[in-house]
Amino acid sequence: MYPIERVEPLNAEVTRMVVRAPEIARKIKPGQFIMLRIDEVGERIPLTMNDCDPEAGTVTIVFQAVGATTMRLAKMKEGDALLDFAGPLGNPTELEGAKRACVIGGGLGTAIAYPQAKWLYEHGAEVDVITGFRNVDLVLLEDEINACSTRQIIMTDDGSNGNKGLVTQALQQRIDEGADYDLVLAVGPVIMMKFVAATTKPYGIKTLVSMNPLMIDGTGMCGGCRVKVGDEYLHACVDGPDFDGHLVDFDDAMRRGVMYRSFESAARDAAEGRDCNGGAAVAAADGERKGA
Amino acid sequence: MATSYEVNRQKEKTPMPELDPVERARTFEEVALGYAAEDAVNEARRCIQCPKSPCVHGCPVGVPIPQFVAQVAEGDFGAAYALVKEANALPAICGRVCPQESQCEGVCTRGKNGEPVGIGRLERFVADWAFEHPEEAAKAAAALAERRAEEAAAVGETPAEAVAADEPDEIVVPDVDLSGKRVAVVGSGPASLTCAGELAKRGCDVTVFEALHKVGGVLTYGIPEFRLPKDLVAREVEALGESGVSFETNALVGKLYDIDELMDERGFDAVFVGTGAGIPSYLGIEGEGLNGVMAASELLTRVNLMKAYLFPEYDTPVYAGKHCVVVGGGNVAMDAARTAKRLGADVTVVYRRGREEMPARAEEVHHAEQEGIEFQLLTNPVRILGDDKGWTCGVECVRMELGEPDASGRRRPVAVEGSEFVVDIDMLVVAAGSKTNPLIAKTTPGLETTSRNLIVADERTCATSKPGVFAGGDAVIGAATVILAMGAGKRAAAGIAEYLVPKA
């Protein structure tokens, strides 16, 4: 069992949770993820690491309550425990050598992109962080990102923070202003990552995207998380989750992402019928896609 | 060897009751129901106790078949179980999933004129009996251990050496004292469980590391409930736990720890790598990324490990279409087809060679047919078709004919030009084999592997190029059978015991 040490709502939809997992905390790197299962009837869902503290032996996850499992997870309290918490999984983001980076987070993706921004900043890179939210009430981790970025640009869909627009508009503006990025990293809804990659492509800026397909085992043995990269399908759980944004087939990923949508509402309905329930094979990140 | 019972001359095996095919195709309950005690005695008496006992040599872990069968014939099921368990850590599993027709039963003397003795069914019977009669089983095991000690004392040598002298062909794990020694076992499939069990029996402190949340490897996520009930796997694993094996689940070696850390930091004296061959292969044809198309391992993992057939009582869903094609001719294809059928689909198995060439067990093909699964043999899919929403709606296939034998001796299928046709489907399952995960190879300096990421290991001792590291099962030979993996696990245990306590 993996005890929950702290639960903290970041906004009405998003929760930050600190979980005791000393072995994982010792090893996990920015970009890697864990698979968790709440209890014996639960499904396995992937959640990317938001922070870790090797000395305290904790791993921090951030999730959005969108599916039955994440809704159930959001109801758990300090002192409760998760039955299974496996990691670190996937490959760490390749950040080595970047000098001028732009880290882009869409919605919940901001929490997932945070450790990369922090790592780059701590390793001497100039780091612009561009984040995008539906409105000002949903803005995440503003203070934390301020502390580990050269510049933070927060965009809202409705302009409620006084900065209306999409993350791609901010990115284009920074490129036009002469920001000479050697790395762009985008984490968020697939549609957002698609347009970030399209924005950087004409400039040939290396662009990594963190894919969030459905996963079951997360260790490479089932192929549920296939992502089309170039001409081949790769497993996001072992070959990724980061891929070259200029090679990923985002339309294919969006299509595959809806395969289990009809089950998700059934799971949510069932969740209302019993206290201890979960959802369909949907990660918090998948819910992000719905918002896209 | 003479029999102490009257031999049953009946030519056919004593039938084993099974669930009705129509009924069972709607549930995940076990199909084969097992022998009642009188069936088992009746079947055991078909064994003529032939002196050469070819059956024992046909068994990769060397179960003393005539001896245990004789005990069943006499009605002493406890003694029979003790004999089986001494050689085989997982008898309830082997009795169900071993391809006996190509192992022990394939060489049974009775099979030359009629059907062979139902060795698998008898092994299963004694293991199931022992689960139901734990106290009597334990008593019988203790009695056997005592007898072994007396035998050893009488001849003045250790029991293992006594056996070794008798049967030089068998794998013999030396009966050395391994207390104080610590071995890490990576993966918890049949090779690993066997290796762990053999070492623990000799006092070794064994820890099994498993990446998933449940132990058992393919026994847990791959082979369906209707062939191998998961409660039973759990009970076999629990029995290993009681014998002193500890388990760490959610521990992916190569990520959470690497092998050097296990040895240097966690202080293991040796490591056994039994990580299997779990990465699915695909067909490499157009349309494989369409919705409704999945690898057999995804379907089976959702259903077996995550119990998706009980959705929404369990949280993991599984997609099932109305018209499903399963591509492949092995046991995994049969498991996937029968699983899709139970989820409500009409199922057709498409295989590029003929029936004779199907690698699946004859019994499984028979069961599949009984359950109403269609077969399109000598047929190969060339393209998967999709609708405008990105879901599969058909598969284009081509007829095949068998040409000249290839290097492996199997006749190579060749497409018949112009024979293309389309099957309407809304689900396609690819069961085209599996590959080895390269993770251990990539994260273990000094470990020699082949171009297919298979670990290079000595055939006899299972030793790899890295001192103290042993490997066996599918990780070494590629996707094979449960019992071959168990044989490798046993050889590795012998290799590890020799390594940890070298002969003076």
Side-chain angles (χ1 to χ4, degrees):
Chain A
M1 299 290 276
Y2 300 82
I4 297 167
E5 296 210 332
R6 209 164 68 239
V7 180
E8 177 191 355
L10 293 183
N11 63 37
E13 297 170 1
V14 175
T15 305
R16 176 155 64 186
M17 187 177 266
V18 178
V19 179
R20 165 152 288 279
E23 303 294 332
I24 302 173
R26 199 171 59 94
K27 272 289 177 90
I28 199 162
K29 300 266 187 317
Q32 290 188 302
F33 66 96
I34 55 90
M35 298 288 306
L36 71 78
R37 195 170 72 123
I38 294 175
D39 57 22
E40 196 52 46
V41 299
E43 63 177 335
R44 295 167 66 92
I45 65 165
L47 290 173
T48 309
M49 183 264 283
N50 161 255
D51 207 350
C52 71
D53 185 338
E55 275 161 35
T58 58
V59 174
T60 304
I61 51 175
V62 175
F63 57 90
Q64 189 162 7
V66 288
T69 294
T70 44
M71 283 160 56
R72 191 146 69 101
L73 197 58
K75 285 185 191 147
M76 297 186 80
K77 298 184 178 59
E78 292 171 19
D80 290 347
L82 300 169
L83 181 58
D84 298 300
F85 199 74
L89 301 171
N91 296 313
T93 308
E94 285 173 28
L95 301 169
E96 212 72 57
K99 293 274 173 282
R100 291 168 309 280
C102 182
V103 175
I104 302 175
L108 183 71
T110 301
I112 299 165
Y114 164 73
Q116 282 91 330
K118 188 171 150 192
W119 189 96
L120 287 164
Y121 194 71
E122 283 171 358
H123 286 75
E126 234 180 88
V127 184
D128 287 357
V129 177
I130 302 172
T131 58
F133 302 92
R134 288 205 306 278
N135 62 57
V136 67
D137 295 332
L138 299 176
V139 171
L140 293 174
L141 306 179
E142 189 175 353
D143 296 342
E144 283 93 334
I145 288 169
N146 254 336
C148 67
S149 61
T150 318
R151 185 183 278 102
Q152 178 173 208
I153 304 168
I154 302 171
M155 310 296 290
T156 49
D157 293 350
D158 66 353
S160 51
N161 73 334
N163 201 13
K164 186 176 161 93
L166 301 172
V167 291
T168 42
Q169 291 168 317
L171 172 64
Q172 184 66 55
Q173 193 182 338
R174 285 294 298 139
I175 292 172
D176 293 343
E177 286 166 6
D180 183 20
Y181 297 131
D182 52 16
L183 174 70
V184 169
L185 173 76
V187 189
V190 177
I191 187 84
M192 182 214 90
M193 296 192 284
K194 173 181 170 169
F195 284 106
V196 167
T199 304
T200 58
K201 193 158 188 203
Y203 305 95
I205 303 169
K206 179 182 173 184
T207 301
L208 294 175
V209 294
S210 178
M211 299 303 288
N212 49 19
L214 302 179
M215 284 188 191
I216 303 102
D217 65 288
T219 63
M221 61 165 230
C222 86
C225 66
R226 282 176 289 159
V227 173
K228 196 171 186 195
V229 182
D231 291 334
E232 54 178 341
Y233 276 97
L234 298 177
H235 291 182
C237 69
V238 293
D239 302 312
D242 298 334
F243 294 104
D244 181 339
H246 299 147
L247 294 178
V248 168
D249 186 335
F250 293 102
D251 295 336
D252 186 85
M254 279 185 270
R255 179 174 53 67
R256 288 182 59 77
V258 303
M259 185 166 160
Y260 274 90
R261 187 128 318 159
S262 65
F263 287 89
E264 291 161 21
S265 52
R268 275 192 299 271
D269 291 348
E272 279 159 23
R274 67 183 158 100
D275 193 37
C276 194
N277 187 12
V282 52
D286 186 51
E288 277 292 295
R289 276 202 292 269
K290 264 178 235 163
Chain B
M1 245 177 277
T3 63
S4 55
Y5 49 83
E6 192 182 332
V7 172
N8 171 358
R9 296 285 164 196
Q10 141 201 337
K11 285 205 172 167
E12 283 79 38
K13 281 183 190 176
T14 308
M16 178 159 63
E18 287 179 351
L19 290 181
D20 174 76
V22 177
E23 289 296 312
R24 78 185 187 224
R26 289 195 280 262
T27 81
F28 279 83
E29 273 161 49
E30 191 174 17
V31 165
L33 298 172
Y35 278 152
E38 59 268 29
D39 298 328
V41 171
N42 197 44
E43 181 61 20
R45 292 187 172 192
R46 291 185 61 233
C47 173
I48 57 171
Q49 298 286 328
C50 53
K52 281 191 182 162
S53 309
C55 52
V56 180
H57 304 281
C59 173
V61 296
V63 168
I65 293 164
Q67 290 84 348
F68 103 78
V69 171
Q71 296 296 344
V72 178
E74 297 294 340
D76 191 345
F77 306 140
Y81 175 72
L83 285 166
V84 172
K85 188 75 180 173
E86 202 179 26
N88 182 347
L90 314 167
I93 292 166
C94 288
R96 285 170 168 82
V97 305
C98 275
Q100 286 103 5
E101 66 275 17
S102 57
Q103 311 266 11
C104 54
E105 295 181 21
V107 291
C108 171
T109 307
R110 287 296 307 262
K112 287 179 184 158
N113 181 15
E115 289 186 337
V117 175
I119 299 164
R121 296 170 176 196
L122 292 173
E123 182 177 39
R124 168 191 166 143
F125 170 78
V126 296
D128 289 357
W129 179 90
F131 279 134
E132 280 159 32
H133 303 84
E135 279 171 32
E136 290 168 67
K139 217 179 281 174
L144 181 64
E146 201 173 306
R147 210 181 82 210
R148 291 285 184 243
E150 281 167 17
E151 282 167 5
V155 272
E157 56 188 9
T158 67
E161 278 160 345
V163 175
D166 256 348
E167 291 163 19
D169 289 357
E170 304 310 324
I171 310 161
V172 176
V173 186
D175 194 26
V176 291
D177 181 9
L178 296 177
S179 44
K181 304 287 184 187
R182 299 183 64 223
V183 173
V185 170
V186 182
S188 70
S192 294
L193 294 180
T194 305
C195 181
E198 291 291 338
L199 294 171
K201 237 188 257 179
R202 288 155 184 82
C204 186
D205 179 356
V206 184
T207 305
V208 176
F209 294 87
E210 166 57 49
L212 293 174
H213 58 266
K214 279 207 165 73
V215 167
V218 74
L219 307 172
T220 297
Y221 71 76
I223 301 176
E225 183 80 15
F226 53 80
R227 279 217 288 142
L228 182 63
K230 300 306 145 210
D231 285 353
L232 191 147
V233 177
R235 281 187 305 198
E236 294 266 35
V237 168
E238 206 175 297
L240 275 179
E242 281 161 16
S243 80
V245 179
S246 44
F247 295 93
E248 285 192 22
T249 53
N250 297 321
L252 179 58
V253 174
K255 292 280 185 189
L256 189 59
Y257 316 103
D258 57 38
I259 287 183
D260 285 332
E261 283 172 325
L262 289 177
M263 298 182 85
D264 301 342
E265 287 171 28
R266 295 205 45 181
F268 288 102
D269 301 301
V271 177
F272 172 71
V273 180
T275 45
I279 296 193
S281 295
Y282 296 97
L283 302 168
I285 60 176
E286 187 188 326
E288 248 177 329
L290 288 163
N291 288 0
V293 178
M294 66 195 85
S297 50
E298 179 181 346
L299 176 71
L300 294 172
T301 301
R302 284 181 183 270
V303 172
N304 299 330
L305 178 70
M306 305 310 299
K307 296 199 188 295
Y309 63 98
L310 299 174
F311 178 86
E313 186 193 332
Y314 281 71
D315 290 345
T316 304
V318 61
Y319 169 77
K322 292 192 171 59
H323 303 284
C324 172
V325 155
V326 174
V327 182
N331 286 317
V332 174
M334 296 307 113
D335 286 344
R338 297 174 72 196
T339 296
K341 178 82 187 180
R342 282 161 172 74
L343 295 172
D346 293 332
V347 183
T348 303
V349 170
V350 168
Y351 179 54
R352 64 196 177 124
R353 300 179 198 250
R355 172 163 304 237
E356 293 300 303
E357 290 79 23
M358 283 179 87
R361 292 186 62 194
E363 187 184 330
E364 299 312 322
V365 178
H366 176 62
H367 277 147
E369 276 182 326
Q370 278 185 322
E371 289 165 12
I373 287 159
E374 308 273 335
F375 288 80
Q376 292 253 20
L377 302 173
L378 288 166
T379 303
N380 204 26
V382 289
R383 191 158 65 103
I384 304 168
L385 310 170
D387 65 17
D388 54 1
K389 293 207 171 86
W391 286 78
T392 181
C393 62
V395 55
E396 185 180 314
C397 299
V398 64
R399 299 280 179 212
M400 308 293 281
E401 55 190 16
L402 292 180
E404 294 299 309
D406 63 12
S408 72
R410 287 206 300 181
R411 293 176 65 194
R412 212 165 57 86
V414 187
V416 179
E417 241 173 88
S419 67
E420 289 82 1
F421 63 101
V422 170
V423 183
D424 292 338
I425 55 166
D426 53 8
M427 176 183 189
L428 186 134
V429 181
V430 178
S434 59
K435 298 174 291 192
T436 307
N437 191 325
L439 182 61
I440 294 287
K442 273 201 273 187
T443 56
T444 311
L447 190 69
E448 194 190 328
T449 55
T450 71
S451 55
R452 292 164 57 211
N453 291 317
L454 297 174
I455 298 170
V456 177
D458 184 90
E459 255 180 60
R460 191 182 64 81
T461 63
C462 295
T464 67
S465 57
K466 196 175 170 76
V469 178
F470 297 74
D474 289 3
V476 171
I477 59 174
T481 62
V482 168
I483 191 66
L484 282 180
M486 293 179 61
K490 199 163 181 176
R491 275 199 307 281
I496 291 169
E498 272 172 37
Y499 169 80
L500 293 176
V501 183
K503 274 187 204 129

